[in-house]
Amino acid sequence: MKRITAILLTAVLLLTLASCGGSGMSEDEIRHIYRDLIEASYVLNDVYYGDGLPFAEDPETMASLAGTSSRFSYMPVDKSAPYQSEAEIREATEAVFTKTMCDHLFTLAFEGMSTDSEETVAFARYIEQNEILTVRIDLAEEALPLGRVYDFDSMDILIEDKNRIVASFATEMDGETSVNVKITLTKTENGWRLDSPTY
């Protein structure tokens, strides 16, 4: 009798741990979240790591910038660009990435990065001047290779708990098989967000 009771208690404990350990979502639901967020990150990758938003030499806009000063060459973002202000970029980023990721990306985009010795490594990619978003025109020179494509059907869940999921995906670059990439999802007060870069 004691042995049966012990077995039953063990079974209940294992079931309790299993129910507490997972995200409470099906594999298809997890795949759907990954797909939505990773696909939404593609345009943001270009904003932060690629050629940046397109710029245009609009005489009217340039006239409105007269009198502003900058050590480097920034041009107004073209009206065809998906984002027209720093606030729009921030909002789109916060809908995809965690606060930790956002803090890093915002520093890269709007403040620039520097080393401990204060030697600047990269200047801000974007500056808002007179309520006009401008972009540094030499971003193509430091752009990372982009265009990674994720095979969502290959998703392999490595870690899954209530607030964190880590999954691995097969990827392609330029139509060629590339490395498997681990992407972390973190649950925030606003929903699941990516806690990994996707480029």
Side-chain angles (χ1 to χ4, degrees):
M1 185 68 178
K2 289 183 179 179
R3 185 179 178 192
I4 294 174
T5 302
I7 292 172
L8 289 173
L9 287 173
T10 301
V12 170
L13 178 60
L14 289 174
L15 287 172
T16 302
L17 289 174
S19 64
C20 292
S23 65
M25 297 185 293
S26 69
E27 187 171 312
D28 283 343
E29 288 174 316
I30 293 172
R31 182 181 291 106
H32 181 75
I33 292 172
Y34 268 112
R35 185 192 304 274
D36 285 352
L37 292 175
I38 289 175
E39 289 181 347
S41 76
Y42 291 155
V43 65
L44 294 171
N45 285 343
D46 199 44
V47 169
Y48 291 106
Y49 301 113
D51 293 345
L53 295 174
F55 60 86
E57 296 186 39
D58 176 2
E60 182 179 341
T61 303
M62 291 303 294
S64 70
L65 290 173
T68 62
S69 62
S70 176
R71 290 180 55 200
F72 303 96
S73 297
Y74 291 80
M75 294 291 289
V77 167
D78 190 82
K79 290 179 172 58
S80 66
Y83 311 114
Q84 295 294 315
S85 68
E86 179 178 327
E88 289 182 2
I89 296 174
R90 286 177 178 269
E91 182 179 1
T93 306
E94 289 169 346
V96 174
F97 292 103
T98 61
K99 183 181 185 304
T100 300
M101 283 290 298
C102 286
D103 288 345
H104 168 74
L105 293 171
F106 295 158
T107 298
L108 177 66
F110 308 120
E111 299 175 26
M113 307 289 283
S114 61
T115 62
D116 292 338
S117 64
E118 298 301 322
E119 179 182 350
T120 301
V121 175
F123 296 99
R125 295 172 72 87
Y126 305 94
I127 296 176
E128 205 160 275
Q129 306 180 67
N130 293 354
E131 298 185 355
I132 296 172
L133 184 65
T134 65
V135 57
R136 215 174 80 223
I137 63 174
D138 63 345
L139 293 182
E141 298 174 12
E142 61 187 48
L144 298 179
L146 300 178
R148 183 174 303 282
V149 176
Y150 287 76
D151 178 3
F152 296 104
D153 290 334
S154 73
M155 182 180 72
D156 180 18
I157 298 175
L158 307 175
I159 298 172
E160 181 186 356
D161 60 36
K162 185 178 179 181
N163 297 307
R164 179 171 173 261
I165 301 172
V166 180
S168 175
F169 298 87
T171 68
E172 289 185 359
M173 283 287 284
D174 300 322
E176 300 291 331
T177 300
S178 186
V179 297
N180 281 16
V181 178
K182 291 181 184 178
I183 301 291
T184 299
L185 279 180
T186 299
K187 191 172 186 179
T188 73
E189 60 183 10
N190 296 312
W192 291 92
R193 296 292 186 266
L194 297 176
D195 201 29
S196 305
T198 62
Y199 60 82

